[in-house]
Amino acid sequence: MNKTIPYGRQSIDEQDIEAVVEVLRSDWLTTGPNVESFEGTIAGFVGAANAVAVSSGTAALHAAMYAIGIGPGDEVIVPPITFAATANAVVFQGGIPVFADVDEDTLLINPERIREKITLRTKAIIAVDYAGHPCDYDALRKIADEKGIVLVADACHALGAAYKGRMAGSLADLTVFSFHPVKHITTGEGGMVTTDNPDYVKRMRMFRNHCIDADFRQREEKGAWFYQMVDLGYNYRISDFQCALGMSQLKKLPEWIQRRQEIAAVYDRFFVEQKRVRSLQVNPNVKHAYHLYVVRVDDRDGVFKALRSNGIGVNVHYVPVHLHPYYKQKFRYGEGLCPVAEKVYGEIISLPMYQGLTEELQDICLQQLKALRRTLDGENEQYAK
Ligand SMILES: *Cc1c(COP(=O)(O)O)cnc(C)c1O
């Protein structure tokens, strides 16, 4: 057989399929009752007043940048160790993503580095809960309040995570989630922004529908055909059957996070013995949602090649965003901007981590890792060729 074990994948059961089919048989395929229900369910789950569902996590980031009024020349502070979409959303609105380096032990944005990057043009911070570990929101809140800037959380890795007992989704002014199949729960493609701010909600609901002002009273006055586009928006709508899938998936999330934590504990125990491997630090005041399980190894490229050629679908999250050719050319960014991220980038590898990874499958991963013991342990080095 020898099928590759991926680093992440979705779980879909018969309940999920039934939930989708039921909507396909109904009157609403898009923007129907399931969109609102999904928004309400997610808002309730994370403890936010409101949620706005959109067509992807990227659309959710873009909507958040629109909601807070990011425009040409505005600076938004982002970490370099994230998916490119975090920074791209700033550029979509004409803003400038300013990279603040990460903490070496957690790979989360470092509050000290944020302070150094704040200027009179800084409008917001986007904190990324890398791997599913919430950032230090007390420190971030303090900076945001002191400087009068907006705190946005990219919690695409962190649905179900918590910081000091508070859920991801209620820790920042706006929080973004993704429902791509590799994330905790999926709608195929999909995203959500949670917030307590009713003005942001109004702006994002318009933005996902071409910024068409749906003021019904105005329509009645001028005739039923009348509508106005008041700003430039997009079609970022999510369909009704996707939201039905999302609600069905969400029921299983607590159980799935528990399974992810068990898998992480098995890896943790294994790597304690390996002298040349560093697991990422987990702070005591968080509930880690383990979207990813990332370790640092000296010979990352060698380990990557060996595991890939033996059916373990390891990956690297992420190429530091400021090193992509687009960012080098457009903003004149490059090597040396974020030294910690650049160094750690050469060492990180993401191991298989998803709720469907059985004990047997994880065992196969561990067997392959054991075969690399010389590289990972450093003992018996004298015998290594
Ligand atoms: C997945 C992800 C996104 C983008 O979400 P999509 O739904 O794929 O558009 C943004 N930021 C981070 C950190 C992500 O992991």
Side-chain angles (χ1 to χ4, degrees), residues 203-250:
R203 285 174 64 80
M204 292 189 289
R205 288 198 195 290
M206 281 208 321
F207 189 68
R208 73 174 168 191
N209 192 31
H210 312 279
C211 283
I212 287 170
D213 186 359
D215 188 329
F216 293 109
R217 211 174 305 139
Q218 205 180 18
R219 280 202 198 189
E220 264 169 38
E221 276 168 21
K222 302 225 175 172
W225 71 86
F226 187 78
Y227 68 87
Q228 277 183 312
M229 196 194 102
V230 295
D231 203 352
L232 185 63
Y234 295 77
N235 176 358
Y236 279 161
R237 298 185 302 262
I238 187 167
S239 66
D240 222 49
F241 52 87
Q242 288 178 294
C243 291
L245 177 57
M247 273 191 294
S248 178
Q249 290 258 300
L250 189 62

Side-chain angles (χ1 to χ4, degrees), residues 11 13 15-16 37-46 159-160 167 177 179 184-187 192 242-257:
S11 303
D13 66 11
Q15 279 180 335
D16 294 324
S37 303
F38 189 36
E39 289 174 340
T41 311
I42 289 278
F45 178 74
V46 304
L159 183 63
M167 298 283 286
F177 296 103
F179 309 122
H184 288 86
I185 68 167
T186 189
T187 58
M192 189 81 80
Q242 288 178 294
C243 291
L245 177 57
M247 273 191 294
S248 178
Q249 290 258 300
L250 189 62
K251 290 182 194 149
K252 291 161 273 199
L253 180 67
E255 183 192 315
W256 286 350
I257 288 183

Side-chain angles (χ1 to χ4, degrees), residues 56-58 61 82-83 85-86 128 154 156-157 178-180 183 189-190 318:
S56 71
T58 304
L61 281 162
T82 183
F83 185 52
T86 313
V128 176
D154 179 340
C156 288
H157 294 187
S178 162
F179 309 122
H180 181 276
K183 307 294 163 67
E189 298 280 357
Y318 294 92

Side-chain angles (χ1 to χ4, degrees), residues 193-377:
V193 187
T194 60
T195 181
D196 289 343
N197 183 317
D199 181 49
Y200 294 159
V201 172
K202 199 172 160 226
R203 285 174 64 80
M204 292 189 289
R205 288 198 195 290
M206 281 208 321
F207 189 68
R208 73 174 168 191
N209 192 31
H210 312 279
C211 283
I212 287 170
D213 186 359
D215 188 329
F216 293 109
R217 211 174 305 139
Q218 205 180 18
R219 280 202 198 189
E220 264 169 38
E221 276 168 21
K222 302 225 175 172
W225 71 86
F226 187 78
Y227 68 87
Q228 277 183 312
M229 196 194 102
V230 295
D231 203 352
L232 185 63
Y234 295 77
N235 176 358
Y236 279 161
R237 298 185 302 262
I238 187 167
S239 66
D240 222 49
F241 52 87
Q242 288 178 294
C243 291
L245 177 57
M247 273 191 294
S248 178
Q249 290 258 300
L250 189 62
K251 290 182 194 149
K252 291 161 273 199
L253 180 67
E255 183 192 315
W256 286 350
I257 288 183
Q258 204 182 335
R259 177 67 197 134
R260 286 171 179 270
Q261 289 173 336
E262 286 165 14
I263 293 167
V266 171
Y267 280 136
D268 284 345
R269 278 197 297 278
F270 177 78
F271 287 119
V272 163
E273 314 258 301
Q274 314 298 320
K275 297 186 183 63
R276 290 269 188 87
V277 183
R278 283 135 295 173
S279 296
L280 295 185
Q281 181 180 304
V282 180
N283 293 333
N285 52 9
V286 304
K287 178 182 173 193
H288 198 314
Y290 285 107
H291 165 58
L292 301 173
Y293 190 91
V294 177
V295 290
R296 294 169 59 189
V297 292
D298 293 336
D299 182 17
R300 193 273 313 278
D301 292 352
V303 171
F304 184 93
K305 247 177 95 181
L307 291 174
R308 271 283 178 101
S309 61
N310 285 293
I312 313 297
V314 285
N315 221 318
V316 174
H317 299 94
Y318 294 92
V319 177
V321 178
H322 65 285
L323 299 184
H324 285 301
Y326 173 79
Y327 280 101
K328 285 185 167 177
Q329 281 153 27
K330 184 170 169 80
F331 296 101
R332 307 245 164 271
Y333 292 150
E335 279 81 6
L337 186 65
C338 297
V340 176
E342 290 162 29
K343 175 185 141 207
V344 172
Y345 163 54
E347 304 170 352
I348 47 179
I349 186 162
S350 305
L351 300 171
M353 168 57 83
Y354 53 96
Q355 56 269 358
L357 187 75
T358 59
E359 276 178 38
E360 295 74 42
L361 288 173
Q362 192 177 16
D363 249 4
I364 297 174
C365 300
L366 294 181
Q367 290 307 323
Q368 292 301 334
L369 286 162
K370 277 178 191 157
L372 298 172
R373 204 163 341 173
R374 272 186 196 155
T375 311
L376 302 179
D377 186 353

